[in-house]
Structure formats: C-alpha cells, structure tokens
Amino acid sequence: MTGMTTKEYRSYSTLMEEFHLLVDEPMKKYTSFKIGGPADLLALPKDEETLTRLLEKAGALEIPVTLFGGGTNLLIGDKGIRGLTILTRGMKTEICMLETNPNGTILRAGAGSRLSRVCRFCLDQGLSGLEFAAGIPGTLGGAIVMNAGTRSGDMGNVVRSIQTLDPKRLYPETLNRNTLHFSYRHLEFSGIILSATLELKKADPREIDAVFQENLRQRKASQPGSMASAGCYFKNPGQGMSAGQLIDESGLKGFRINDAMVSDIHANYILNLGSATCTDILLLQHHIQDVVFQKFNINLEPEVRMEGE
C-alpha cells in the first residue's frame, strides 16, 4: 500500500482492522497461472453475511473492489491489484438435491464449491448432465460466469437459476434461466453469484462414470493439466479451425518468451515454466495473435480474464 494519500491510508487501515485482511498479499499464490503482484488488501470471506459487510464498508470508504473465485482463468498484472480483492472460493455451502420430478433433479450448490466436487456429488447420486465438466478446474461460480464447457456441453445447458448479490444495492436476488444470456464462454452478468441450481437427469451411475472417465482421460491426454497455466488461453473462432489448431499450424508450439511458453501438447495453452511474469505472458499473447493474423487473417480473442496493473 504505497503512494497513498493520508485519507486513503486511513480508509484502508479501517477496513483492514475491522475484517483482519491480508496486506500486500502476493496474488500468484491464488491463481493457477502462479503469476501476479500484491493485492493492497485481500479478503477470503466464508459466508454471505461477511461478504455483504465487506462490500458495504468498502463502498462507504470508496475503496475499489475486485472479485474472483478459483483463479483458474485469470492473469494478474505484475504490479498487483489496487484496493480490496475478494476471493469467494471459500464461500462453500452444502450440495443438496432440492426436488426430483419426471423431467429431472434440481441440485443446489454454493458458488465457491469446486466444480470437481459438484461433479463427484452428481456421480455418487446418479445424476447426469455434468459429464462434460470432467477435469475442468475452478469453482462452480467461475464455471458459470465463463460458461465453461467442451464440445459435448456447457454450463448454460444445466443451470436452472443463480442466486446473486448486486454489489451496489447489496441484496440477494434469484435469476431464472430464461433471464440469463449465455453465449460462448460467457454469461452476460455483472453481479456476484452466491449459489446456483442445476437441472440434471437420473441415470445409471455406471454409465455416468464411464462417460466421465473417458472425458477425463481425453482431457489428460490432450492438455498439459499439471503445468501452471490459465487453461485454454484464446477463444475458438466462430467457424473453421480451433484456436489451438491455428496456433499449431502457425508453427508456434514450444515458442517461448522467457518462462512463458506455448505448450507443445496443446497449442492453446500458455504455460508458466516457473518464473514467467504477466509481461512475459502478454508479450507471448501478442506474438501469437500477430503470427496467426498474418497467416490466417483471424484475430484471436483471449479467453483469460486480465486483472490488476
């Protein structure tokens, strides 16, 4: 927290003392990319009440707020994030079945729940619909905001409703599926997801597990899951070759700028080999975009969210 005015310092100190926040916390500890400078203040609330009080107090003190969940689709700047950063992945609730009807089963889970945990619950209960999510990292809330998915399905196919919190009005609201606008790797939404209900179908657990395990096998075989990355870096173009194919056909597999490298397993993954910075990643991103555009006249759009300075 350097370069602050006296008023700003007092405001930050007030918030820090009331909520016992982490100060100048390196954000590389909280993202799958293992990259990012310090957050001025970092909060990891465990429940909706604490989150609401944090937002209310930060608003009153005019402190900017940045929110994210699992940090799996995120690139944070080398100078970090100013103001208050809130990680919602600690806000877990029990996964439970609300109702079963002839059309399916309604399940509710907290936005901070790991997507893998929700998938495991569905498998144990014989609920089909999330098999496509095998191996997708991050939280349920993050997966919904990014409309995470594969060729066999996405979150928009199974979400029935989301329970949200408006960061300005600070009251919870339920948004039903017919009011939500999902598109490719995107949900048109600006609030905070607290929990969600998913509509799934009953099926033989053995059949669900067989599909799940095959999807997981394919993902592990084709993607560098054990390496530090943010998942697929670019969105696939609307038609034609995928982003990975375009990058591969451009001869960029294995191309490297310092410790930032295009994966030689899946070309749409940018890897942090150990000490890559945000600057390295962005330089590599721009190089990939330039080469692909020159060869195919296609502009690749990043799928990864950028935060901070």
Side-chain angles (χ1 to χ4, degrees):
M1 298 194 300
T2 59
M4 292 184 180
T5 65
T6 301
K7 180 182 178 182
E8 288 173 332
Y9 183 80
R10 287 174 178 170
S11 296
Y12 278 50
S13 297
T14 298
L15 193 68
M16 177 183 67
E17 291 169 5
E18 181 171 340
F19 292 94
H20 306 291
L21 306 178
L22 297 172
V23 180
D24 291 331
E25 181 73 357
M27 294 311 298
K28 64 182 181 181
K29 295 166 55 176
Y30 301 92
T31 73
S32 60
F33 235 150
K34 307 302 180 186
I35 290 172
D40 288 343
L41 299 173
L42 178 64
L44 295 92
K46 299 295 184 183
D47 52 55
E48 182 182 332
E49 178 185 357
T50 304
L51 173 63
T52 302
R53 289 195 298 111
L54 268 167
L55 292 170
E56 186 175 28
K57 192 70 173 185
L61 294 171
E62 299 181 341
I63 295 175
V65 175
T66 301
L67 295 107
F68 58 92
T72 55
N73 198 49
L74 186 70
L75 176 62
I76 294 178
D78 296 322
K79 294 181 180 179
I81 305 176
R82 305 290 68 81
L84 170 65
T85 300
I86 301 176
L87 272 66
T88 59
R89 63 187 178 197
M91 295 176 56
K92 300 179 178 68
T93 58
E94 290 300 314
I95 303 171
C96 61
M97 292 187 289
L98 297 182
E99 63 177 270
T100 298
N101 57 57
N103 295 322
T105 295
I106 309 302
L107 174 152
R108 182 175 65 195
S113 300
R114 287 282 173 182
L115 184 59
S116 58
R117 180 168 170 254
V118 180
C119 288
R120 172 52 58 183
F121 180 91
C122 291
L123 178 59
D124 292 342
Q125 298 296 323
L127 300 177
S128 176
L130 277 179
E131 291 89 333
F132 71 87
I136 295 179
T139 62
L140 175 63
I144 293 172
V145 169
M146 294 302 299
N147 194 18
T150 65
R151 292 180 179 178
S152 60
D154 57 40
M155 294 305 299
N157 294 330
V158 296
V159 170
R160 187 185 192 191
S161 67
I162 56 175
Q163 291 68 54
T164 70
L165 182 69
D166 186 301
K168 294 182 179 178
R169 292 179 292 175
L170 295 177
Y171 67 84
E173 182 181 10
T174 297
L175 302 178
N176 293 319
R177 177 66 180 85
N178 58 3
T179 66
L180 299 174
H181 301 289
F182 285 98
S183 58
Y184 177 68
R185 301 297 172 263
H186 182 68
L187 169 62
E188 194 67 38
F189 175 71
S190 59
I192 303 165
I193 299 179
L194 300 173
S195 63
T197 60
L198 310 178
E199 189 161 6
L200 306 159
K201 296 185 181 299
K202 276 286 188 181
D204 186 335
R206 292 171 297 182
E207 295 179 3
I208 298 172
D209 187 51
V211 176
F212 187 90
Q213 294 301 329
E214 176 58 20
N215 289 343
L216 191 61
R217 185 195 66 77
Q218 292 182 11
R219 176 175 287 272
K220 288 182 176 179
S222 63
Q223 299 177 6
S226 62
M227 303 291 289
S229 77
C232 284
Y233 197 92
F234 296 100
K235 296 179 181 179
N236 288 325
Q239 56 186 4
M241 289 190 288
S242 68
Q245 290 172 318
L246 290 167
I247 299 167
D248 191 359
E249 291 294 322
S250 298
L252 291 170
K253 269 189 174 179
F255 186 86
R256 177 173 174 176
I257 295 178
N258 297 324
D259 261 7
M261 187 185 85
V262 178
S263 169
D264 52 12
I265 298 174
H266 191 310
N268 198 18
Y269 275 65
I270 293 179
L271 308 179
N272 174 9
L273 299 181
S275 59
T277 64
C278 178
T279 299
D280 295 331
I281 300 294
L282 292 177
L283 285 172
L284 183 52
Q285 171 195 312
H286 296 148
H287 178 73
I288 293 168
Q289 289 171 314
D290 289 344
V291 173
V292 169
F293 183 79
Q294 290 170 15
K295 187 174 179 64
F296 296 103
N297 198 34
I298 293 175
N299 285 307
L300 288 180
E301 181 183 349
E303 182 176 317
V304 172
R305 170 184 166 189
M306 175 75 195
E307 290 289 353
E309 301 175 347

